[in-house]
Amino acid sequence: MAVSAPALPSKPAATTRLGRWDSSWLLWTGIIAVLLFLVVSPFVHLVATSFRSEDTGGFTWGNYAAAYGRERYVQALVNSLELGAGAALLAGIFAVPLAWAVSRTNMPGRGLVRALVLATFITPPYTGAVAWILLAGPNAGWLNRFYVLLTGADEGPFNIYSFPGLVAVVALYSYPYVFIFTSAALELVSSEMEDAANVLGAGTWLTMRRVTLPLALPAILGGLIICFLEAIALFASPAMIAIPARFNVVTTQLFQFFGNPVRVEVAAAYAMPLLGVTVLLVLVQRLLTRRRGFVALTGKGGERRPLALGPWRWVLFAYAMLVAALSVFLPYVFLLQAAFAKAWGRGFSLDNLSLRNFRFVLFEHATAAHSVLNSFLFGGAAATLGVVVALGVAYIVARRIVPFAGILGFLCVAPFVIPGVVLAIGFYSAYAPPPLALYGTAWILILAFTARFLPIGYVNASAAIRSLNPEMEEAVRVLGGGRLTAMRRVVAPLLKRSLLGAWLLMFIPATRELSSAIFLYGPNTKVVSVMIFDMSEEGNFEYLAALALILQLLTLPLLWIGQRAIGRDFMLRRSAT
């Protein structure tokens, strides 16, 4: 929403105050320094560490030789690429029909389907992985037990501890990315173009295949690339499924390099291909999604009517419910069963119900409740710091306060192309050694979370700043106020809803972040995601399920606040990615 004010007949404040000291420069300098500390320093240390000898500290290629000198290390790279391709393809199969049905057709329950996609989106991948271990474990998984009960077979057909099982789980919790991109593009396609195809004799399905979907193809491909990148950078699901299945992907191999002894130099060298692939594909994705302009030019402004599918609308609704059953209904039913069960394998019976798991994790476990508190404290601090830095950089870029301000904007979004595990290794390389020695402290987790989700804050803050007319700030300065006064009295009040949204969009993923926390936490700074991961390794699924549900329940009030402040689908807004 654009906010404007009457133009003031005065010279620009920058001219009238030329030559005078402006205290706001202290703020700009501090923000730029924090940005360099968060983004540039870890990346530079990551690259430098990959070429540094562990023994002498001198230059060496030995880390790369060690990182790629074994066949199983190379195989882990191949596995990651295959995982990304398989998960992206399957996510596309899940998401594209749903996006088309919700955006372009008269399918019943479209609001419900959007809500279920949102429920999938806010489910941490490790929670989904645990749920599917309960569902499709080779021996005790509920799907296998039902299959054996129904058919009398000796064993069930499902084995989550396999490569196809990992691909399916990752796809089920990555498809919202494809949905967001595809539905955003489809909502711009004018019905007039489909009407023209129908007049020329094309039916509903041919029009969809030959007109509607091709217009959204760049956005679909962009969503698939994001899904691919998410899959190859994911740590939790592969750690819970691939390691017990005795195969590795890049992220689990990097985790093993951090075993005893820590081989951070080799890990840094091993992370480079992951970083390179990510940067390359993000550039391709940006080129593809920029082509959405031809959709807007031909369709924006036209009338958009839902297509009448007749009885097929119920077939499409059934497909949507099938996807929801796989990603939401079944996983949460069995997570609830495990959370309230004395022993999850004993099944659904009244004598198996208990609140003991919740009592244990909240009041009796040595660190579980503290890990929840840590997650919310660190997430809140990271979101607050991130919003301040993002707002400051967005203001500097929009008002061109310093030369080459665009570079600062680029640095703000750069962490988007750095996978969480790679970012964590960079932070470890930069700030674990003296003089800062931050490893294991709350500070390193807060800083890593801030850097990880800074692009979300910047994208939102930048859009909000651009909606403000700078004449309002100039009026304040003409009347004697400085830039800081203008920001405090004009900019911040007008942007408070947008900034609250940016804060929530950073805070919610930060409270459940695992891929960077698993490399950086210490004995007193364990967060809930690490706690859940530890419980999964110990096989304590009842406690784990209780803890995961507590985390989800604590997120619900935040979603309500976000929807009240920003809108119904604020977590699914494309700007968030």
Side-chain angles (χ1 to χ4, degrees), residues 263-519:
R263 303 168 68 188
V264 64
E265 291 83 4
V266 179
Y270 195 71
M272 287 300 157
L274 186 61
L275 184 60
V277 168
T278 306
V279 171
L280 178 63
L281 288 181
V282 166
L283 292 176
V284 173
Q285 188 265 342
R286 291 292 169 91
L287 289 175
L288 285 172
T289 50
R290 278 180 187 172
R291 291 190 60 200
R292 65 182 171 150
F294 80 87
V295 173
L297 286 172
T298 55
K300 189 174 182 179
E303 184 183 1
R304 284 174 281 279
R305 298 184 305 276
L307 289 172
L309 295 179
W312 284 98
R313 68 187 190 278
W314 292 105
V315 176
L316 213 50
F317 180 72
Y319 179 76
M321 290 301 102
L322 172 64
V323 175
L326 296 175
S327 59
V328 180
F329 296 145
L330 281 174
Y332 275 101
V333 164
F334 288 96
L335 271 178
L336 280 167
Q337 187 271 336
F340 287 98
K342 296 174 183 173
W344 71 272
R346 287 172 53 190
F348 298 85
S349 61
L350 289 177
D351 65 344
N352 194 31
L353 287 177
S354 172
L355 293 173
R356 181 175 62 91
N357 303 320
F358 291 93
R359 185 174 67 246
F360 178 78
V361 298
L362 287 175
F363 305 112
E364 299 174 9
H365 193 281
T367 55
H370 191 62
S371 71
V372 176
L373 182 62
N374 280 345
S375 284
F376 279 75
L377 286 176
F378 301 163
T384 304
L385 178 60
V387 166
V388 170
V389 174
L391 177 63
V393 174
Y395 189 84
I396 292 171
V397 173
R399 302 295 182 256
R400 299 195 174 280
I401 291 175
V402 300
F404 308 107
I407 295 176
L408 299 178
F410 169 78
L411 291 177
C412 252
V413 297
F416 179 66
V417 305
I418 304 177
V421 291
V422 177
L423 183 73
I425 296 170
F427 267 82
Y428 183 95
S429 304
Y431 304 129
L436 295 181
L438 295 180
Y439 178 68
T441 66
W443 280 110
I444 198 167
L445 288 169
I446 292 170
L447 294 171
F449 291 171
T450 304
R452 178 115 167 83
F453 301 108
L454 188 60
I456 297 175
Y458 177 75
V459 168
N460 283 271
S462 179
I465 290 282
R466 286 200 303 269
S467 71
L468 290 182
N469 192 328
E471 291 177 350
M472 302 174 71
E473 301 152 46
E474 291 173 3
V476 173
R477 300 180 66 194
V478 167
L479 294 173
R483 280 195 183 274
L484 292 180
T485 303
M487 287 195 70
R488 190 174 70 253
R489 304 292 294 273
V490 175
V491 176
L494 289 173
L495 298 186
K496 59 184 179 183
R497 287 168 66 91
S498 298
L499 296 180
L500 173 62
W503 190 89
L504 288 172
L505 287 169
M506 294 183 70
F507 174 75
I508 292 174
T511 57
R512 50 194 63 197
E513 167 66 3
L514 174 64
S515 57
S516 55
I518 194 71
F519 291 88

Side-chain angles (χ1 to χ4, degrees), residues 234-275:
L234 205 57
F235 169 74
S237 302
M240 292 179 178
I241 294 174
I243 292 177
R246 298 184 182 281
F247 68 89
N248 269 327
V249 294
V250 168
T251 51
T252 56
Q253 186 60 57
L254 285 169
F255 182 64
Q256 292 177 7
F257 284 137
F258 268 72
N260 191 18
V262 175
R263 303 168 68 188
V264 64
E265 291 83 4
V266 179
Y270 195 71
M272 287 300 157
L274 186 61
L275 184 60

